Amino acid sequence: MPERGKGKERWWRTRGFSLDGDRFRRDPETAEAAEFFLAEMVRQRGAELARWLEESRTSPRPWITAGVNSRVALRLTREELADLVRDVTQVLDACYDRVRERDEEVPDTARVIVHFDAFPVGLGEREKPD
């Protein structure tokens, strides 16, 4: 068993995860479970956004203005998409590293959920014959 950290390290907490859904969906042994899991992730995101919409009606304004709901559509190459994912992941990792030792009870903090999806759309339409 690997040794656990010392001090205030919260080894039982997870910061989140990233999943190579494509790999699991292509494997016949895991395809059904992967489809279910990915659908559940989408459902959970919708539920979290709906909760935020409800809570934002009564949340303190400074917290509301500190957050963001954003959607951007870009035309990128595969390499540019991979670069974007890498860059955003580095920013999230750096933020996590700065705050991971923090107690949950630090004043003026809140649990913040970050969703980041970057995916191409319409690629199948290009392959259809005229």
Side-chain angles (χ1 to χ4, degrees), residues 22-34:
D22 181 60
R23 186 181 89 189
F24 292 106
R25 290 167 80 193
R26 290 179 186 269
D27 182 340
E29 298 283 322
T30 58
E32 187 176 346

Side-chain angles (χ1 to χ4, degrees), residues 5-54:
K6 295 178 174 49
K8 294 172 82 175
E9 184 176 354
R10 307 294 197 257
W11 56 268
W12 63 91
R13 289 188 197 159
T14 180
R15 68 176 214 190
F17 64 91
S18 183
L19 173 72
D20 183 354
D22 181 60
R23 186 181 89 189
F24 292 106
R25 290 167 80 193
R26 290 179 186 269
D27 182 340
E29 298 283 322
T30 58
E32 187 176 346
E35 287 289 337
F36 177 82
F37 184 76
L38 292 168
E40 180 59 19
M41 283 178 56
V42 169
R43 187 209 59 79
Q44 182 178 351
R45 287 177 184 174
E48 289 168 346
L49 287 168
R51 178 180 175 185
W52 167 240
L53 181 62
E54 184 64 30

Side-chain angles (χ1 to χ4, degrees), residues 14-111:
T14 180
R15 68 176 214 190
F17 64 91
S18 183
L19 173 72
D20 183 354
D22 181 60
R23 186 181 89 189
F24 292 106
R25 290 167 80 193
R26 290 179 186 269
D27 182 340
E29 298 283 322
T30 58
E32 187 176 346
E35 287 289 337
F36 177 82
F37 184 76
L38 292 168
E40 180 59 19
M41 283 178 56
V42 169
R43 187 209 59 79
Q44 182 178 351
R45 287 177 184 174
E48 289 168 346
L49 287 168
R51 178 180 175 185
W52 167 240
L53 181 62
E54 184 64 30
E55 288 180 359
S56 68
R57 292 183 177 107
T58 57
S59 294
R61 182 129 178 85
W63 278 101
I64 294 170
T65 59
V68 65
N69 293 102
S70 168
R71 180 184 180 280
V72 176
L74 305 167
R75 182 163 294 279
L76 302 174
T77 65
R78 283 187 309 271
E79 293 79 16
E80 290 168 332
L81 174 57
D83 289 346
L84 173 65
V85 169
R86 184 197 67 241
D87 293 349
V88 171
T89 300
Q90 286 176 347
V91 169
L92 293 173
D93 288 347
C95 183
Y96 177 77
D97 289 344
R98 283 193 307 273
V99 302
R100 73 173 166 204
E101 298 296 324
R102 182 180 291 163
D103 256 344
E104 288 185 21
E105 302 303 319
V106 172
D108 202 31
T109 61
R111 182 169 174 255

